[in-house]
Amino acid sequence: MKTAATLPTPWFAPAWLVRFLRSPISTVVGSLLVLVVVAGVILAPLITHADPMALSSDTLLEPAWAHPMGTDDLGRDELARVLYGGRASLVIGLFSALLSVILGMTIGMVAGFFGGAIDETLMRITEAFQILPKLLVAVVVVSLIGSGLTNEVLVIGLLSWPATARVIRGRVQVIRHEEFIAAAEMSGASWLRVLVRHVAPNVVSFLLVSASLQVASAIMSESFLSFLGLGDPAHPSWGLLLQQGQLFLSDAWWLTTFPGIALAMTILGLNLLGDGVSGSRIVAGSRR
Amino acid sequence: MTPLVRVTQLTKQFAKTRAVDGVSFDIAPGETLGLVGESGSGKSTLGRAVVGLLPATSGESIVDGQNVGTLRGSARKALWRHAQMVFQDPYSSLNPKMTVRDALAEPLRNFGIARGAEADKLIRETIEACGLPASALPRYPREFSGGQRQRIGIARALIVRPNFIVADEPVSALDVSIQAQIINLLQDLKSEFGLTYLFIAHDLAVIRHVSDRVAVMYRGKLVETAPAATLYATPRHPYTQLLLRSVPVPDPKAEIERRRNVTGAEVTNAEATDNGCPFAARCPMAKFPTCSDKAPELSAKASDHLVACHFA
Amino acid sequence: MSEPVLSIRDLHVSFPTATVVQGVSFDVMPGEIVGVVGESGSGKSMTARSVLRLLPKSARLGGSIRFRGQEVLDMSPADIRAMRGALVSMVFQDPMTSFNPVLRIGDQIAEAMTLHGQKDRKTLSDRVASLLASVGIGNPKARARAYPHEFSGGMRQRALTAMAVANGPALLIADEPTTALDVTVQDQILQLMRDLNATSGTAILLITHNIAVVASLCRRLIVMYAGRVVEDGPTDEVLTAPRHPYTWSLLQSVPRLDRATGRLVAIKGQPPDPAEPLAGCKFHPRCPWVEERCTRDEPPLEDGVRCWVRPAL
Amino acid sequence: MVIAVASRLLLRRALLAVPLVFAVVALTFFFIRLAPGDPAQILAGDAPTPEFLAQVRAEYGLDQPVWTQFLAFLAKALTGDFGTSLYSKQPVFAVILERFPATVLMTGTAMIVASIVGILVGVASAKRAGSHADTLISSASLLGYSMPGFWVGQLLVLLFSVSLDWFPATGMEAARASYTGWRHIQDVAWHMVLPVTTLALFLLTMIARFTRAAMIDALDQDYVLVAEAKGASRNRILWHHAFRNACVTTITVIGLEFGAVLAGAVVVEIVFGWPGLGRLFYDAIYRRDFPLLTGAFMFSSLIVIGVNMVSDVACALLDPRIRR
């Protein structure tokens, strides 16, 4: 290992690349998928000059050279709509996942670390939240308070933390009972230092897995809301495109096929990444 | 001579069970007290309560003049400058994300003992005293075997230069050929650094080998304490006698002799109650109702030989 | 002289990364109790498991294992299943995890018999009760209906032993049967095995790291180190006059209960990593009597000892 | 005896569910209060007449203090009075009950299909863990898990209705003919194929994934080795020993994910025009019929809580260690 790292490597195969390619196949495929999607979404203006909002009289055109993914009922270029729609989906996914991971991590860490009555209370609340049909709650809340990026992020984020909280709490509980934590206490470390210096580093990989799965699940939740007509019409996401596609299902297959592929590719990539980072599919399989 | 450790009526209760039930003992400076008992006897809980790692439910534990018995939080920190612990499982007792150097630097930093070059010197001296080269310092625990990890764990306890160490089953997770290395190391360190040990183990032979005095624990209570030689030659409590009878010896002739003395059948006395002697249910000498009415106190049957039994 | 019940010749067990058992040979005679002693990584458990072909999928087996003259390595899966639990059975180390937590103890013991032909419910439940009674579990009818978590560790190990002998096997393989137990329970289990051997003539292959346990139970003792047999002989002789430096060191490094011991003689260093090839005698890096040829050639097992030097110990 | 244990457990779980039911109702109340604007206006729909607004105010006691309002709301909800639908002017509860059987039919069928197939796939995959077949199955189920249910439905419609015209794309029964008896059952079954497949696919991948993980875990336990040493066959070990342990995880997961299943049913019903609760949700959102929306929500939540109770009890019956 050490010798391999110190050997000079050719420019086309730097050490990090070699290491990456040797990691589990799901990590490699997953990160490539995510990379393609993110690059496409960020570089949208370079990929197509079409304006996703520009109306035209070329309505419901089949995919062709001028419009690789066809056009919709208002003559807008579907490729542009998919690329720019990814921005809405990814932004909502990222931010609501960020919110739920921060919440879940805090609650999981506190419950696992302090144990006792605090743990008992927090876990009962977590369980209750987990049993609640989160998507239906989201539907009711968004219907009542109105759609919009911020509202969607808040609602999805505030409803999705239990999965992360349980994973982190389980992990922290295991670590809490390791002897090195008792040893750290006896080394004179304050509880904050024990938490930050001894517990947290052993939780990070689980947090990464959880975060990647949370982004996937948040994008999925957003598409669900959009499909029910609760998306933000000013920022059409993939889910919203699919809702519009539903209306022309028998006339314009491309309006459902392409946004769906983008959506599934992103979620698959993130799930694969989560699986790969966890080293086996078991962590992903036991997220409850 | 004043004892270094004085434990008085220490009790630790978890939910409904008393893991440690009114235990008292002293340890003189420079002495090794061996604490022996079967799994679930509460010996590990007692060890942790003595140094305040677990707050006691009631009772006192005075180590080096500091009473930590029921203290919680940072109040216990002052004690750990002088009292440390060596843990059982070398795979669980080291943080996998910390190098050996970082693990050893932790106490120096947290207690403000030393920093910079001075800390470095201490770390080197200590790891070498524990039989590992300084080249081990930048490495992570996963690169070491069980025995080497246990050396690192011992170095971490030793680096604050404590005068009292609780060693909780320090060799039971190790292979036989490695156990001797660690036992020898602990004995060498004791004389080199003037340490006092509370040595916890379930292996009666190991306890005999390392201890000056031995305490036998059963279901949360001490049933017998005596100097090692006395206890092994003339055990007085029926439980101690049962324990010593049960251990096979690696000598065929002695083993045949031992087996001749073992009755074999296990005793079960239905009359035993929770209020009485904890061993009454399994005791071949029990007389009822005496043994089910009252738990016997630990009392001197000879000088320095304490037994908790109505009939010993 | 009768036929050996088990005859192992030049057994090899290897995994893709390492060979863990190399050239192990020994016999077990009917009614004999043989002890195999070694530390973790010595290959003792893998040797025991290969007799029942219970190795992980990636393991490769070589050599010969004959049970009553029949080659185990050539048996069909059905033949092996018919042998497991009926003719040769096994007791494992950890009684806490050896029972299926969601099935009743009695049903699990009965299963050992149903799998080998006994289907009658009444006979089964009577047999289960008598087996539990024979290992010293009181009120066996009621206890048979209990779940594993309602049994203590010692009781589970007794029940496990009862399950292993349910079909009256010719050979019982006990893999560290007392390691997880308290000494008082260990003594009862050893007594149980001794009685079993005396009453039914079942041969026992005892795998353990504890030399004292072997001294208590076995007439013959095999010492393994790094996948090889290094010493093989009658227990009395091996323990009182060991001929291999490893056996000698092992005995010196264990504190004794029956007498005060001076400073222990520790064996320096670590057991070799099976993934890294080591020339010569596998014990030579840790041996006080090492000579030049020990580092070069591996000694054969001759006259029950695998050593070039054979120091006077 | 099993019945006695089950009813005792059910009673205890029911007691645990009470606070949860209370929380759902409280949450709903809170949402309505949280929404910007006048709650009466929300409950009365867009542009109500002043008389109707006053009626709603009186009906919900909106002129009373918040606590009184909440208690009234709670009392009504617990007696099944979820208010009046703004659109159909019928009691919400009656509207829901009318739609409920269609959803039960579809969801129930999908759950049965998905459980059987998912468990078989998960066990088969775990049996060959690490092999090419396992990798293929796991990848396929991860792919299924990553596709939104409504999109899968849309694709199925495109393929099997629009292109191949094998199955009907929408509805629960043929619109033109009104069949009776056996023909009716056949007709409904015919219409169910695509929606049930869609919903089952989502559930199946989830069940397969969790079952596989739990089985791999169980097969790694000592008791499996012991069973093997007894002479048990591979199949017996798989089902009698490992699956008995693994199914506790499977059942727990089905319970916990039941909310997601109902949400999946909502979108599948929309894609396939299935006349169930899901359509009701959609219509309620679309028409801003808030009493109907909150009523349907409370009703579904109670179902989800009930399903979780049952799955809890089932787990306790299967695993004696959980019985307390």
Side-chain angles (χ1 to χ4, degrees):
Chain A
M1 280 294 282
K2 262 182 205 153
T3 46
T6 48
L7 279 176
T9 47
W11 63 270
F12 55 85
W16 64 265
L17 186 63
V18 173
R19 214 168 32 239
F20 171 71
L21 290 174
R22 278 196 191 140
S23 50
I25 184 81
S26 47
T27 316
V28 178
V29 176
S31 29
L32 285 180
L33 282 177
V34 173
L35 208 66
V36 166
V37 171
V38 170
V41 161
I42 291 177
L43 303 177
L46 302 180
I47 297 169
T48 175
H49 296 295
D51 177 351
M53 295 299 191
L55 311 181
S56 80
S57 55
D58 300 332
T59 58
L60 294 180
L61 289 184
E62 285 218 24
W65 190 243
H67 301 286
M69 292 186 184
T71 60
D72 71 358
D73 56 315
L74 298 176
R76 294 174 289 198
D77 180 64
E78 189 68 8
L79 173 64
R81 286 178 66 74
V82 168
L83 289 176
Y84 286 95
R87 292 190 173 180
S89 285
L90 288 188
V91 162
I92 294 177
L94 277 177
F95 280 94
S96 39
L98 191 70
L99 179 60
S100 64
V101 165
I102 290 175
L103 262 175
M105 180 188 73
T106 315
I107 291 172
M109 279 238 194
V110 168
F113 189 74
F114 291 104
I118 297 177
D119 179 40
E120 190 66 20
T121 318
L122 286 176
M123 277 304 109
R124 285 296 86 78
I125 295 173
T126 309
E127 240 162 62
F129 259 89
Q130 212 171 10
I131 290 176
L132 272 189
K134 106 180 170 190
L135 289 174
L136 300 185
V137 177
V139 164
V140 172
V141 177
V142 175
S143 312
L144 284 166
I145 64 173
S147 50
L149 288 187
T150 324
N151 283 353
E152 283 184 79
V153 165
L154 281 177
V155 169
I156 296 173
L158 290 175
L159 287 169
S160 309
W161 56 268
T164 305
R166 285 188 70 150
V167 169
I168 298 303
R169 180 246 186 190
R171 182 67 191 150
V172 170
Q173 251 188 348
V174 170
I175 293 170
R176 187 74 190 83
H177 291 104
E178 299 269 4
E179 287 174 344
F180 69 78
I181 297 299
E185 279 183 54
M186 293 197 78
S187 298
S190 65
W191 70 265
L192 192 65
R193 188 171 170 84
V194 171
L195 194 62
V196 172
R197 190 91 171 83
H198 297 268
V199 177
N202 290 289
V203 175
V204 167
S205 60
F206 284 73
L207 202 63
L208 287 178
V209 172
S210 196
S212 148
L213 298 175
Q214 283 285 13
V215 177
S217 136
I219 290 178
M220 187 88 104
S221 304
E222 190 282 328
S223 75
F224 178 86
L225 289 178
S226 290
F227 186 74
L228 289 180
L230 293 171
D232 184 350
H235 302 94
S237 66
W238 288 328
L240 206 75
L241 298 188
L242 286 172
Q243 189 215 7
Q244 290 165 350
Q246 171 74 18
L247 300 173
F248 303 96
L249 194 52
S250 45
D251 310 305
W253 57 269
W254 53 95
L255 292 186
T256 35
T257 310
F258 294 116
I261 289 177
L263 187 56
M265 212 169 105
T266 314
I267 295 172
L268 179 67
L270 288 163
N271 280 338
L272 277 172
L273 202 59
D275 275 10
V277 173
S278 70
S280 67
R281 298 206 169 85
I282 290 173
V283 170
S286 61
R287 99 186 118 111
R288 296 206 244 143
Chain B
M1 190 154 61
T2 47
L4 182 74
V5 179
R6 165 154 277 173
V7 173
T8 321
Q9 288 298 317
L10 201 67
T11 296
K12 176 70 193 176
Q13 185 131 12
F14 293 114
K16 289 206 176 76
T17 52
R18 284 199 169 171
V20 175
D21 190 358
V23 168
S24 308
F25 60 82
D26 291 347
I27 307 177
E31 189 183 32
T32 297
L33 176 68
L35 179 62
V36 70
E38 294 180 283
S39 57
S41 61
K43 56 188 190 301
S44 264
T45 308
L46 175 58
R48 286 180 175 226
V50 166
V51 286
L53 200 51
L54 275 175
T57 310
S58 64
E60 280 191 335
S61 168
I62 302 172
V63 181
D64 204 11
Q66 303 255 4
N67 185 352
V68 280
T70 53
L71 288 185
R72 292 165 178 275
S74 55
R76 306 164 300 168
K77 196 173 154 181
L79 172 70
W80 295 334
R81 178 70 181 76
H82 302 287
Q84 279 291 320
M85 187 146 175
V86 173
F87 294 89
Q88 169 174 10
D89 180 357
Y91 290 88
S92 154
S93 63
L94 298 175
N95 186 342
K97 305 277 177 192
M98 267 190 168
T99 61
V100 176
R101 184 194 303 281
D102 288 344
L104 296 185
E106 264 296 276
L108 298 183
R109 173 198 171 277
N110 293 336
F111 290 116
I113 294 171
R115 37 176 62 240
E118 197 191 338
D120 233 50
K121 184 164 160 279
L122 252 173
I123 291 172
R124 276 164 183 280
E125 277 173 14
T126 310
I127 198 78
E128 277 162 11
C130 292
L132 285 178
S135 64
L137 291 173
R139 292 158 67 182
Y140 284 92
R142 61 169 177 274
E143 300 173 57
F144 297 94
S145 68
Q148 291 168 327
R149 282 161 169 258
Q150 203 56 314
R151 290 176 189 272
I152 300 169
I154 293 169
R156 177 182 52 202
L158 190 69
I159 198 151
V160 302
R161 297 291 180 267
N163 35 33
F164 175 56
I165 287 182
V166 173
D168 183 7
E169 299 265 16
V171 298
S172 65
L174 303 175
D175 262 327
V176 182
S177 74
I178 308 297
Q179 285 192 2
Q181 296 177 359
I182 299 300
I183 291 173
N184 285 346
L185 173 66
L186 286 170
Q187 292 191 314
D188 293 346
L189 294 175
K190 179 181 171 174
S191 48
E192 193 179 338
F193 294 94
L195 297 168
T196 302
Y197 286 138
L198 173 61
F199 195 106
I200 303 171
H202 68 277
D203 185 328
L204 288 143
V206 168
I207 286 286
R208 170 174 193 157
H209 180 75
V210 300
S211 310
D212 301 311
R213 211 151 48 85
V214 177
V216 182
M217 196 164 179
Y218 186 74
R219 288 180 57 186
K221 290 190 156 134
L222 293 191
V223 295
E224 183 165 7
T225 65
T230 317
L231 187 113
Y232 282 79
T234 53
R236 287 227 138 125
H237 195 282
Y239 175 64
T240 316
Q241 292 168 354
L242 173 70
L243 270 185
L244 291 175
R245 268 204 312 273
S246 300
V247 184
V249 286
D251 176 335
K253 287 195 192 71
E255 177 59 20
I256 290 169
E257 187 62 27
R258 178 188 77 85
R259 288 224 310 274
R260 200 168 290 153
N261 298 329
V262 178
T263 47
E266 194 187 359
V267 184
T268 40
N269 298 318
E271 300 97 318
T273 63
D274 283 351
N275 305 325
C277 171
F279 189 56
R282 290 172 66 190
C283 184
M285 292 163 62
K287 291 194 181 74
F288 294 96
T290 317
C291 292
S292 61
D293 279 356
K294 189 169 166 287
E297 294 291 320
L298 196 62
S299 56
K301 302 285 164 165
S303 77
D304 221 10
H305 194 156
L306 309 179
V307 185
C309 180
H310 294 301
F311 299 106
Chain C
M1 190 92 191
S2 58
E3 281 275 290
V5 60
L6 179 71
S7 175
I8 297 179
R9 287 291 169 275
D10 196 30
L11 180 71
H12 283 70
V13 180
S14 54
F15 290 95
T17 49
T19 299
V20 294
V21 175
Q22 191 144 38
V24 166
S25 305
F26 62 86
D27 291 345
V28 178
M29 303 307 280
E32 194 182 20
I33 308 184
V34 175
V36 178
V37 166
E39 298 177 83
S40 52
S42 63
K44 59 185 193 303
S45 275
M46 287 299 161
T47 306
R49 287 190 185 185
S50 24
V51 176
L52 281 178
R53 304 280 304 272
L54 285 174
L55 296 174
K57 272 184 203 151
S58 57
R60 291 278 161 277
L61 273 171
S64 154
I65 299 172
R66 283 174 180 277
F67 173 72
R68 287 178 167 169
Q70 217 193 337
E71 180 57 60
V72 174
L73 301 191
D74 296 340
M75 282 186 189
S76 70
D79 287 347
I80 289 169
R81 279 206 301 277
M83 178 181 77
R84 287 177 182 163
L87 302 169
V88 181
S89 57
M90 198 152 174
V91 176
F92 294 89
Q93 170 173 357
D94 191 350
M96 303 317 264
T97 57
S98 287
F99 275 111
N100 193 330
V102 302
L103 303 175
R104 296 178 198 276
I105 297 266
D107 292 346
Q108 299 193 49
I109 297 176
E111 190 193 14
M113 292 177 279
T114 10
L115 288 170
H116 298 287
Q118 177 60 263
K119 304 280 185 200
D120 181 56
R121 286 181 148 233
K122 180 81 183 80
T123 323
L124 277 174
S125 73
D126 288 348
R127 179 93 179 104
V128 166
S130 73
L131 278 167
L132 285 176
S134 74
V135 293
I137 291 177
N139 197 3
K141 283 258 184 219
R143 289 284 174 78
R145 293 187 53 77
Y147 286 98
H149 70 278
E150 294 162 331
F151 269 34
S152 70
M155 276 163 73
R156 285 191 217 190
Q157 195 61 296
R158 286 155 181 271
L160 213 54
T161 314
M163 187 160 80
V165 301
N167 294 309
L171 174 66
L172 176 68
I173 300 172
D175 189 0
E176 302 265 13
T178 61
T179 304
L181 304 176
D182 284 326
V183 282
T184 52
V185 185
Q186 163 172 289
D187 203 40
Q188 294 160 10
I189 297 290
L190 293 180
Q191 187 59 42
L192 189 66
M193 297 204 163
R194 214 174 279 125
D195 292 346
L196 186 79
N197 172 260
T199 52
S200 63
T202 303
I204 298 177
L205 182 63
L206 175 78
I207 314 292
T208 181
H209 70 278
N210 187 337
I211 284 193
V213 166
V214 174
S216 173
L217 201 59
C218 310
R219 241 156 297 157
R220 207 162 116 235
L221 170 56
I222 292 164
V223 183
M224 284 187 72
Y225 184 79
R228 286 137 180 94
V229 173
V230 294
E231 188 160 358
D232 179 348
T235 308
D236 297 15
E237 290 175 24
V238 176
L239 292 187
T240 47
R243 292 180 297 160
H244 195 282
Y246 174 66
T247 318
W248 181 86
S249 312
L250 208 54
L251 284 166
Q252 294 303 306
S253 66
V254 191
R256 293 283 292 260
L257 186 72
D258 50 339
R259 57 169 188 250
T261 18
R263 190 182 166 80
L264 299 173
V265 181
I267 308 176
K268 63 183 179 185
Q270 321 280 334
D273 181 350
E276 279 171 29
L278 174 67
C281 172
K282 300 305 163 220
F283 189 59
H284 84 254
R286 307 175 74 186
C287 181
W289 291 276
V290 61
E291 289 178 2
E292 198 266 331
R293 66 175 161 172
C294 301
T295 65
R296 203 164 11 102
D297 305 316
E298 178 153 22
L301 183 68
E302 266 176 9
D303 191 20
V305 189
R306 191 187 284 278
C307 184
W308 291 123
V309 183
R310 304 200 175 194
L313 297 167
Chain D
M1 204 200 88
V2 173
I3 295 169
V5 174
S7 48
R8 189 166 47 85
L9 287 166
L10 206 59
L11 191 72
R12 193 170 314 164
R13 294 304 195 284
L15 289 177
L16 288 178
V18 168
L20 207 54
V21 171
F22 183 80
V24 165
V25 177
L27 214 58
T28 314
F29 178 77
F30 174 71
F31 292 150
I32 296 175
R33 300 285 313 184
L34 184 78
D38 178 5
Q41 213 113 43
I42 290 171
L43 290 168
D46 296 330
T49 60
E51 298 84 59
F52 187 58
L53 206 60
Q55 187 198 325
V56 168
R57 248 184 247 284
E59 194 179 325
Y60 285 90
L62 293 179
D63 35 8
Q64 310 278 317
V66 176
W67 270 108
T68 324
Q69 285 177 35
F70 174 63
L71 289 178
F73 185 83
L74 184 69
K76 279 175 171 238
L78 291 183
T79 51
D81 179 359
F82 294 160
T84 310
S85 162
L86 298 176
Y87 178 75
S88 66
K89 304 285 188 263
Q90 283 180 334
V92 165
F93 197 60
V95 177
I96 292 172
L97 280 189
E98 188 194 328
R99 294 296 193 87
F100 191 47
T103 299
V104 170
L105 180 65
M106 187 187 72
T107 317
T109 316
M111 284 203 58
I112 293 168
V113 172
S115 303
I116 295 171
V117 181
I119 285 169
L120 287 175
V121 168
V123 170
S125 188
K127 188 171 142 190
R128 301 177 182 80
S131 70
H132 291 297
D134 170 46
T135 312
L136 195 72
I137 295 175
S138 301
S139 314
S141 68
L142 191 67
L143 182 67
Y145 191 70
S146 302
M147 298 198 291
F150 53 87
W151 185 57
V152 174
Q154 291 174 327
L155 289 186
L156 289 181
V157 169
L158 279 178
L159 188 61
F160 292 103
S161 300
V162 177
S163 301
L164 298 171
D165 199 17
W166 286 359
F167 297 101
T170 59
M172 185 166 159
E173 48 210 344
R176 271 157 295 176
S178 53
Y179 297 116
T180 48
W182 177 238
R183 285 302 307 271
H184 179 69
I185 295 176
Q186 269 188 314
D187 185 42
V188 171
W190 196 239
H191 280 82
M192 269 170 67
V193 173
L194 290 186
V196 165
T197 308
T198 310
L199 189 57
L201 210 64
F202 159 73
L203 245 174
L204 184 160
T205 53
M206 199 173 66
I207 293 177
R209 273 167 69 78
F210 283 99
T211 305
R212 176 182 178 273
M215 279 297 285
I216 288 179
D217 191 44
L219 286 171
D220 202 33
Q221 301 294 316
D222 284 353
Y223 57 76
V224 164
L225 191 66
V226 172
E228 230 176 318
K230 277 197 275 188
S233 67
R234 197 70 197 141
N235 270 331
R236 187 169 173 86
I237 286 170
L238 223 46
W239 294 105
H240 186 71
H241 289 276
F243 186 66
R244 276 294 295 266
N245 283 276
C247 68
V248 174
T249 307
T250 309
I251 293 174
T252 309
V253 167
I254 294 179
L256 285 180
E257 296 287 331
F258 192 72
V261 173
L262 273 191
V266 169
V267 284
V268 170
E269 286 185 9
I270 294 165
V271 171
F272 292 97
W274 190 264
L277 266 186
R279 279 299 304 187
L280 209 61
F281 259 100
Y282 188 63
D283 294 342
I285 297 167
Y286 191 69
R287 295 170 181 144
R288 304 189 66 72
D289 188 345
F290 289 112
L292 185 58
L293 184 63
T294 50
F297 166 67
M298 281 190 278
F299 185 80
S300 326
S301 301
L302 296 189
I303 304 268
V304 171
I305 292 170
V307 167
N308 270 283
M309 236 168 72
V310 173
S311 91
D312 265 10
V313 172
C315 286
L317 284 178
L318 284 165
D319 189 341
R321 289 166 300 176
I322 323 181
R323 284 180 217 160
R324 272 165 302 179

